[in-house]
Amino acid sequence: MAKVAVPGNGNVFLLDIEGTTTPITFVKDVLFPYIKDNVQEYLSAHWEEDECKQDVHLLKKQADDDSKHHRSGPVHSFDQTVHTDEEKAIQEVVDNVLWQMAEDRKTTALKQLQGHMWRAAYTTGKIRGEVYEDVVPAIRKWRRLGMKVYIYSSGSVEAQKLLFGYSTEGNVLELFDGHFDTNIGAKVESKSYQRIAESIGCSADNIMFLTDLTREAKAAEEAGVKVAVVVRPGNAELTEEEKSHYKLITSFSELALPDSA
């Protein structure tokens, strides 16, 4: 693809993760299967620890709420204080977790347990965050030119820092000036990008947002943010209209900076 010029006033990069810095398959083929394959072993090993107890308590509250609202699922009766049979109690938590994942739910209770499991996996070397090979060299170049780089992902800030702190490229957290997640707002809402600009302390049109999803690109554009859509293997297909509307890149190296355009 031809080079895509970064506007002369652009001095901040805002990066999506999944499908942009990281293969979209990483979450689907690595992170989620790790939870399914290891949740029972993890709970058994940490069952008596305070953090795990808090995770189970949150899952129980979610299960009670699901039951109250007649949402289908496994029997919602697990509680560490109810069962004398630890094995049975753990199995009920496992069943609930697997059910929520099969339904592609994003409950806080599920995300909290997943986050704690991924943290343990990253720190023990069982998982390494995947980063496309063009990403780190490009960011190093941007920073040498005095540009700032931020991450904006629907995954929690903790999950973002684990991915880049224990990545295939080593610990590259030093490359980022900050991290945003959905606590600042949904990625498909233009107000989220306005809040990010305010948080960074710059004008929206100083920001160049890289994402693989056009609905996010549309929201960013509406906020006055500059956008390029990243085309990677496995990403959603773009319509002809989207291809003609957005600047497209297949690699970060295709961005021409003001000093090098």
Side-chain angles (χ1 to χ4, degrees), residues 15-223:
L15 310 178
D16 167 53
I17 293 179
E18 200 176 338
T20 300
T21 66
T22 296
I24 205 162
T25 53
F26 177 65
V27 172
K28 180 171 66 76
D29 295 345
V30 177
L31 291 184
F32 286 159
Y34 179 84
I35 301 294
K36 294 175 183 176
D37 294 344
N38 293 278
V39 61
Q40 186 153 18
E41 180 184 344
Y42 177 87
L43 290 169
S44 297
H46 300 279
W47 190 250
E48 295 299 330
E49 298 173 12
D50 287 344
E51 183 176 82
C52 187
K53 287 180 179 179
Q54 291 167 6
D55 291 343
V56 172
H57 176 69
L58 204 58
L59 285 163
K60 176 173 170 50
K61 283 180 64 178
Q62 180 64 54
D64 290 344
D65 184 65
D66 289 338
S67 182
K68 190 183 303 181
H69 291 89
H70 307 291
R71 299 186 186 102
S72 60
V75 176
H76 302 299
S77 62
F78 58 85
D79 190 337
Q80 286 138 306
T81 62
V82 172
H83 289 287
T84 53
D85 185 345
E86 181 178 300
E87 188 175 333
K88 181 181 178 185
I90 289 172
Q91 187 58 53
E92 287 175 349
V93 179
V94 171
D95 290 345
N96 180 271
V97 168
L98 296 180
W99 168 68
Q100 289 202 58
M101 292 184 70
E103 295 293 315
D104 196 28
R105 302 186 77 196
K106 309 293 184 185
T107 64
T108 299
L110 178 63
K111 288 173 72 174
Q112 179 170 301
L113 175 64
Q114 288 174 328
H116 291 153
M117 287 187 63
W118 287 327
R119 182 184 63 201
Y122 277 117
T123 56
T124 55
K126 293 177 181 176
I127 290 177
R128 284 281 178 264
E130 293 183 28
V131 179
Y132 282 114
E133 62 181 16
D134 58 275
V135 170
V136 170
I139 296 176
R140 291 194 192 281
K141 179 180 179 182
W142 302 341
R143 292 187 64 85
R144 283 197 302 272
L145 292 171
M147 306 186 85
K148 293 185 177 296
V149 184
Y150 294 83
I151 294 291
Y152 182 28
S153 172
S154 54
S156 70
V157 167
E158 182 185 15
Q160 296 173 28
K161 289 182 175 179
L162 286 169
L163 191 157
F164 292 109
Y166 298 91
S167 83
T168 49
E169 301 292 325
N171 183 347
V172 294
L173 286 173
E174 67 190 32
L175 299 180
F176 305 107
D177 293 280
H179 299 257
F180 299 98
D181 58 20
T182 51
N183 282 320
I184 204 152
K187 296 176 74 181
V188 294
E189 295 176 359
S190 61
K191 286 184 179 179
S192 303
Y193 300 89
Q194 294 168 359
R195 293 189 196 105
I196 287 174
E198 290 167 7
S199 176
I200 293 172
C202 70
S203 171
D205 68 358
N206 293 141
I207 300 174
M208 182 81 169
F209 178 48
L210 306 184
T211 180
D212 63 308
L213 297 177
T214 54
R215 59 184 181 274
E216 295 177 2
K218 182 175 184 290
E221 274 191 333
E222 289 172 353

